[in-house]
């Protein structure tokens, strides 16, 4: 594709490159340069792409997009914001296929993945061809492509969008992480519908303050990113968005007046409730557990009704819909019961344990840790949550990355022991899970939180295969539990 075409609708300060240059591919990694590449010199926390401009040109790059004017011998495009330019140029390179599909975005601290997959399942049940992209990877018409990030970088993201469009997808559902919004990965894409699930503490390692994190979430509900908003009216930030959003908006909830709401909620082998969706009233039964999944369902149902999916189709979709991998997966064995969940924030862990308590006849045993090189302020808070809502806690490791796992555990412990001393520390996660299963009794419920459906463990920058579910199954088999 010609450089001139790639730069359509891109704000530039200076162009020092032939506009008829042929661009064969896009990259932000100088190691991936091939002849004809367009290289984006992106400044990151640990690396500055501008330091690799000469290497990129020497390797065959046709042009560089940068915020800093390089040597005149370098063919370059000077822009105000290289990240924003990368997102929009990526759209142009892949023919802006997002404009030809219904784009549905989900943002919020918790519940993004489940809500996205609920929407996808309803749409597929109605006969639509769907892509869903997020934490669990990207599924194009049910075929999985692994991705590293909740919201992939723009080049990869637009490539997935283009592939989806070529395969006949009509509805593209994606999780919009706070990082992606802040780093302008989604610039140029306007969601037809944007859903806000909830807000609570997370990612303060990156955003530093709750106010900064909150402002990023709020900024998504503007004309730049969305045409229509679906908002949780029972969340404080959601209430603020409802009052201040500059785009058309609708609401869902349980407690506060909402356009779509649930009453008569019951929790028994899943949940059931009565849903009122724009005055269409119907019974809903689901295999999902917990009040938080009623909220996720209300968000998904609101989107479905906005897309004119009939109520009978929504109901029948939920009758066969199975829980999302790693999101409140209830495993019942002959002598033990286990819940595996991704909960990795104080609010997420609280919701998980409250919901698990409803299924527990004996003691509720919590097994969890916190990720390394992430928000350390939430660690004692999560310890306190487990102390308050479970009967016993086993503190363990969880993707310690470049931190000492024992240091992380001690920080969690600080919060727990302020409430009570009903806990033990077992650093190795497999041994922690084994301890929980072996020492628990038949009526107890073991909740294993933090990793959910992840299939790896990350320590010292190295990822090794690992699965909470597989570990549980092996221990149950080994000890005949």
């Amino acid at each position: 594709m010609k450089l001139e075409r790639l730069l359509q609708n891109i704000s530039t300060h200076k162009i020092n490159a032939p506009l008829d240059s042929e661009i064969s591919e896009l990259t932000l990694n100088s190691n991936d340069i091939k002849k004809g590449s367009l290289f984006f010199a992106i400044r990151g926390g640990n690396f500055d792409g501008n330091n690799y401009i000469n290497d990129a040109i020497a390797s065959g790059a046709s042009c560089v997009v940068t915020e800093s004017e390089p040597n005149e011998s370098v063919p370059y495009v000077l822009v105000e914001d290289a990240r924003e330019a990368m997102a929009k140029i990526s759209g142009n390179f892949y023919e802006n296929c997002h404009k030809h599909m219904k784009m549905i975005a989900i943002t919020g601290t918790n519940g993004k993945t489940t809500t996205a997959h609920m929407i996808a399942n309803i749409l597929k049940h109605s006969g639509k061809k769907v892509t869903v992209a997020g934490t669990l990877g990207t599924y194009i018409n049910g075929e999985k492509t692994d991705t590293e990030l909740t919201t992939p970088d723009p080049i990869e993201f637009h490539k997935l969008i283009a592939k989806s469009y070529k395969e006949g997808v009509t509805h593209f559902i994606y999780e919009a992480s706070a990082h992606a919004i802040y780093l302008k990965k989604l610039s140029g894409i306007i969601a037809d519908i944007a859903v806000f699930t909830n807000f609570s503490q997370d990612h303060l390692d990156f955003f530093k303050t709750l106010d900064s994190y909150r402002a990023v979430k709020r900024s998504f509900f503007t004309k730049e990113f969305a045409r229509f908003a679906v908002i949780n009216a029972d969340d404080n930030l959601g209430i603020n968005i409802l009052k201040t959003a500059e785009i058309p908006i609708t609401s869902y909830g349980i407690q506060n007046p909402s356009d779509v709401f649930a009453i008569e909620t019951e929790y028994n082998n899943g949940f059931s409730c009565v849903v009122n969706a724009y005055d269409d009233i119907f019974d809903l039964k689901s295999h999902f557990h917990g009040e938080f999944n009623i909220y996720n369902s209300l968000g998904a149902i609101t989107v479905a009704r906005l897309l004119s999916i009939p109520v009978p189709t929504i109901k029948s979709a939920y009758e066969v819909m199975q829980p999302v991998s790693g999101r409140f997966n209830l495993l019942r064995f002959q002598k033990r019961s286990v819940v595996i969940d991704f909960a990795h924030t104080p609010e997420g862990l609280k919701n998980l344990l409250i919901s698990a308590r409803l299924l527990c006849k004996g003691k509720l045993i919590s097994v969890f840790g916190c990720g390394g090189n992430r928000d350390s302020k939430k660690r004692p808070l999560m310890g306190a949550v487990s102390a308050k809502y479970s009967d016993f806690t086993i503190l363990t490791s969880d993707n310690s990355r470049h931190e000492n796992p024992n240091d992380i555990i001690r920080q969690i412990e600080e919060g727990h022991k302020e409430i009570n001393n009903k806990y033990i520390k077992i650093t190795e996660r497999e041994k922690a899970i084994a301890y929980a299963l072996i020492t628990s009794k038949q009526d107890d419920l073991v909740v294993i939180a933090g990793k959910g459906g992840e299939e790896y463990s990350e320590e010292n920058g190295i990822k090794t295969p690992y699965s909470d579910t597989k570990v549980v199954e092996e221990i149950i088999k080994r000890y005949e539990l």
Side-chain angles (χ1 to χ4, degrees):
M1 185 177 289
K2 300 294 185 185
L3 179 62
E4 183 176 24
R5 187 175 171 190
L6 286 178
L7 296 180
Q8 287 181 356
N9 301 315
I10 307 298
S11 177
T12 62
H13 289 329
K14 184 178 180 180
I15 301 174
N16 184 47
L19 289 174
D20 62 352
S21 298
E22 189 67 34
I23 304 300
S24 60
E25 63 178 49
L26 312 178
T27 183
L28 50 68
N29 188 336
S30 61
N31 293 322
D32 296 334
I33 294 292
K34 296 178 182 178
K35 184 175 177 58
S37 295
L38 179 64
F39 174 63
F40 295 95
I42 302 296
R43 288 191 176 95
N46 299 316
F47 297 97
D48 185 349
N50 291 283
N51 295 330
Y52 300 91
I53 286 177
N54 291 333
D55 292 340
I57 296 300
S59 298
S62 292
C63 185
V64 172
V65 176
T66 177
E67 299 168 4
S68 302
E69 192 167 353
N71 188 291
E72 284 294 325
S73 64
V74 173
Y76 65 86
V77 176
L78 188 65
V79 297
E80 179 70 27
D81 190 319
R83 289 186 180 276
E84 183 176 6
M86 178 171 63
K88 293 181 178 180
I89 289 172
S90 297
N92 289 341
F93 187 81
Y94 287 103
E95 305 290 352
N96 289 308
C97 291
H98 57 93
K99 294 183 178 180
H100 306 296
M101 295 182 286
K102 284 287 185 184
M103 301 296 289
I104 303 163
I106 322 293
T107 194
T109 304
N110 299 306
K112 295 188 295 296
T113 299
T114 300
T115 302
H117 281 264
M118 284 178 171
I119 295 169
N121 277 303
I122 295 171
L123 290 172
K124 285 188 285 188
H125 199 73
S126 71
K128 309 294 184 185
K129 290 189 175 182
V130 179
T131 287
V132 57
T135 306
L136 297 180
T138 298
Y139 294 80
I140 302 174
N141 289 327
E143 183 177 341
K144 183 180 180 182
T145 298
D146 288 326
T147 50
E148 286 290 325
L149 303 170
T150 297
T151 310
D153 284 326
I155 300 170
E156 181 184 6
F157 195 46
H158 280 280
K159 185 176 182 180
L160 291 168
I161 292 171
K163 182 181 179 183
S164 298
Y165 180 64
K166 289 175 183 176
E167 295 189 12
V169 167
T170 56
H171 294 74
F172 193 103
I173 305 156
Y174 58 102
E175 296 179 45
S177 70
H179 293 77
I181 299 167
Y182 179 83
L183 296 173
K184 301 186 178 180
K185 292 183 183 183
L186 299 170
S187 292
I189 299 175
I190 303 177
D192 294 283
I193 302 173
V195 181
F196 171 75
T197 59
N198 51 62
F199 178 85
S200 63
Q201 180 173 327
D202 201 9
H203 305 307
L204 295 192
D205 56 304
F206 184 88
F207 293 106
K208 305 306 179 186
T209 68
L210 273 176
D211 284 343
S212 297
Y213 177 40
R214 187 181 291 113
V216 170
K217 289 293 188 186
R218 187 190 296 114
S219 73
F220 194 67
F221 297 93
T222 60
K223 294 177 182 178
E224 180 183 0
F225 294 111
R227 294 186 176 89
F228 196 94
V230 172
I231 305 297
N232 178 356
D234 291 343
D235 181 273
N236 288 333
L237 179 55
I239 293 170
N240 179 267
I241 295 171
L242 284 167
K243 293 177 179 178
T244 61
E246 60 182 46
I247 57 177
I249 203 160
T250 192
S251 62
Y252 67 92
I254 298 174
Q255 300 170 3
N256 292 326
S258 306
D259 299 306
V260 177
F261 59 92
I263 58 173
E264 299 181 17
T265 56
E266 294 183 5
Y267 307 95
N268 184 19
N269 294 322
F271 74 74
S272 64
C273 61
V274 175
V275 175
N276 185 320
Y278 304 109
D279 293 331
D280 283 330
I281 301 172
F282 57 95
D283 295 323
L284 184 72
K285 293 184 179 180
S286 170
H287 298 288
F288 290 78
H289 293 273
E291 184 181 67
F292 62 93
N293 271 321
I294 294 184
Y295 278 101
N296 294 334
S297 298
L298 290 174
I301 290 166
T302 305
V303 171
R305 294 300 291 131
L306 290 172
L307 295 173
S308 301
I309 305 298
V311 166
T313 302
I314 295 171
K315 290 183 62 175
S316 61
Y318 270 95
E319 289 171 2
V320 298
M321 197 184 300
Q322 296 300 312
V324 178
S325 174
R327 270 64 178 175
F328 209 104
N329 296 161
L330 176 60
L331 309 177
R332 291 196 184 278
F333 302 94
Q334 186 174 354
K335 301 176 183 178
R336 296 291 185 273
S337 295
V338 179
V339 170
I340 293 176
D341 192 87
F342 186 58
H344 60 285
T345 67
E347 189 68 20
L349 184 61
K350 174 184 173 182
N351 291 335
L352 168 64
L353 294 174
I354 288 174
S355 298
R357 177 68 71 182
L358 299 173
L359 306 175
C360 182
K361 295 179 181 179
K363 290 184 177 181
L364 184 61
I365 300 167
S366 167
V367 182
F368 81 98
C370 290
N373 303 109
R374 297 294 186 267
D375 180 7
S376 61
K377 294 180 181 178
K378 71 181 180 183
R379 295 169 185 172
L381 300 178
M382 292 183 69
V385 165
S386 188
K388 183 175 180 181
Y389 293 99
S390 63
D391 295 302
F392 190 78
T393 303
I394 302 167
L395 303 177
T396 189
S397 60
D398 180 353
N399 293 341
S400 58
R401 298 183 176 89
H402 295 285
E403 284 193 70
N404 185 323
N406 292 311
D407 292 340
I408 298 173
I409 291 170
R410 278 192 288 271
Q411 289 177 314
I412 303 171
E413 180 186 17
E414 288 300 316
H416 199 298
K417 66 185 182 182
E418 287 185 5
I419 306 297
N420 61 53
N421 290 313
K422 298 177 181 178
Y423 68 89
I424 190 172
K425 297 182 290 183
I426 302 178
T427 304
E428 292 183 43
R429 193 172 181 92
E430 296 94 329
K431 291 182 179 179
I433 292 172
Y435 181 89
L437 293 173
I438 293 169
T439 60
S440 63
K441 298 180 180 179
Q442 189 161 349
D443 286 340
D444 297 341
L445 180 61
V446 176
V447 175
I448 305 170
K451 295 187 67 63
E454 285 183 353
E455 296 182 350
Y456 65 87
S457 178
E458 184 176 355
E459 295 183 14
N460 298 315
I462 300 173
K463 289 185 177 181
T464 56
Y466 174 87
S467 164
D468 276 346
T469 300
K470 290 180 180 179
V471 168
V472 168
E473 290 172 345
E474 289 170 2
I475 293 168
I476 292 291
K477 182 178 180 180
R478 185 188 312 155
Y479 294 99
E480 299 181 352
L481 298 174

